[in-house]
Amino acid sequence: GQQLNQSPQSMFIQEGEDVSMNCTSSSIFNTWLWYKQEPGEGPVLLIALYKAGELTSNGRLTAQFGITRKDSFLNISASIPSDVGIYFCAGGDNNAGNMLTFGGGTRLMVKP
Amino acid sequence: NAGVMQNPRHLVRRRGQEARLRCSPMKGHSHVYWYRQLPEEGLKFMVYLQKENIIDESGMPKERFSAEFPKEGPSILRIQQVVRGDSAAYFCASSPPGQYTQYFGPGTRLTVL
C-alpha cells in the first residue's frame, strides 16, 4: 500500500521560531491535508490542498502542495506555546476511493 | 452544524467483556471511517463504511472486531472479548460524498483492565 514519510518525527523549538515539516511519497496524490492533534483530542483539520503547486495559508500556517504531487510542506511562523501538538499529513488519491493515507506525525514542542 | 460526535469518551472494560463505540457523523456526511491510535503513535486505519455498506475493512482485525453503519442511527464499532492489547484511542471521522476531507470526532479512549 501507499506510504507517507513525514519528517521530522519530533521538534523541540523556542517560542518565536519558525517551524517547517514535510511529507513525501513515492506515489501521486490528488489531495493533501494537514491536521493537528492536541493531547486527549481528535485531529483537527488545519489546511486542505487540492491542486499541484497550490500554496494556502491559515493564519500563521502555510502549506504547499508539491508540484510533483508527491510531497507537501507545512510551515508555522513565529511559534507560540499553543502550537504544541502532533501534526499529521494525509494524502488522498482516486485509486483509494475516499480513503486517506496518513503520515506518522510530527510532534512539536515549544519552549516558552 | 455539530461536529462528529463519539460516545462514550472513556470506556473501561474487563478482559472478556464487549466494547461498543458509537459515532454520529456530521450532518450530510454519509461516509464514516474508524481509526485506532496507540499512545505515542500515529493513526491506524481500521474500516471505511457508507450507509449499510462496508467499503473497506482492510485494517480491521479478522476476529472479535466488527463495524456497522445502519440506515438510521450512529455507526458502531464493536469489540468482543476485549483483551489488554485493545486498549487504545479509537477515532471516528466522516466525510461528505465525493470528498477526501475527513473530520474527526474527539475519540473514545478504551481501557481494558
Side-chain angles (χ1 to χ4, degrees):
Chain A
Q2 293 176 321
Q3 286 189 325
L4 286 184
N5 297 310
Q6 187 170 350
S7 65
Q9 286 188 323
S10 62
M11 303 179 73
F12 191 87
I13 62 169
Q14 195 76 33
E15 182 178 359
E17 289 183 0
D18 295 344
V19 172
S20 186
M21 60 191 79
N22 70 83
C23 272
T24 59
S25 171
S26 57
S27 315
I28 289 172
F29 286 104
N30 298 317
T31 298
W32 284 95
L33 306 171
W34 285 92
Y35 292 87
K36 179 189 177 186
Q37 185 180 27
E38 297 187 7
E41 300 295 330
V44 173
L45 181 67
L46 297 174
I47 292 178
L49 303 158
Y50 300 107
K51 286 198 295 191
E54 181 180 356
L55 184 72
T56 297
S57 292
N58 178 5
R60 293 178 296 105
L61 277 61
T62 301
Q64 184 160 27
F65 191 145
I67 197 72
T68 65
R69 294 164 63 193
K70 293 183 178 181
D71 57 7
S72 180
F73 303 86
L74 176 70
N75 296 320
I76 306 173
S77 62
S79 59
I80 59 178
S82 63
D83 290 333
V84 164
I86 305 175
Y87 292 79
F88 291 101
C89 63
D93 84 280
N94 293 336
N95 293 327
N98 277 39
M99 291 166 57
L100 295 174
T101 300
F102 279 85
T106 295
R107 182 179 298 274
L108 178 64
M109 292 157 280
V110 180
K111 184 176 180 182
Chain B
N1 188 9
V4 178
M5 313 266 294
Q6 287 188 251
N7 67 81
R9 291 292 306 271
H10 300 274
L11 182 61
V12 179
R13 285 286 178 265
R14 297 192 180 279
R15 280 179 297 170
Q17 291 184 317
E18 178 180 289
R20 278 187 182 235
L21 288 61
R22 294 174 186 77
C23 169
S24 295
M26 289 178 70
K27 188 176 180 181
H29 289 195
S30 55
H31 299 194
V32 166
Y33 314 80
W34 285 93
Y35 296 85
R36 179 162 70 176
Q37 186 178 41
L38 295 172
E40 307 299 315
E41 294 191 9
L43 297 161
K44 182 176 181 296
F45 166 78
M46 298 181 74
V47 62
Y48 163 32
L49 309 106
Q50 295 178 19
K51 286 283 188 181
E52 300 184 280
N53 282 308
I54 296 174
I55 306 302
D56 188 309
E57 56 182 348
S58 58
M60 286 271 275
K62 296 288 183 245
E63 297 178 351
R64 301 187 299 108
F65 285 71
S66 63
E68 63 176 7
F69 188 16
K71 188 176 180 182
E72 302 290 338
S75 175
I76 307 285
L77 178 67
R78 184 181 176 207
I79 311 173
Q80 295 177 289
Q81 299 173 332
V82 295
V83 301
R84 289 218 173 106
D86 297 332
S87 295
Y90 292 84
F91 292 98
C92 164
S94 72
S95 69
Q99 289 191 27
Y100 293 111
T101 308
Q102 295 179 19
Y103 298 87
F104 282 81
T108 294
R109 275 135 193 94
L110 173 65
T111 302
V112 180
L113 301 177

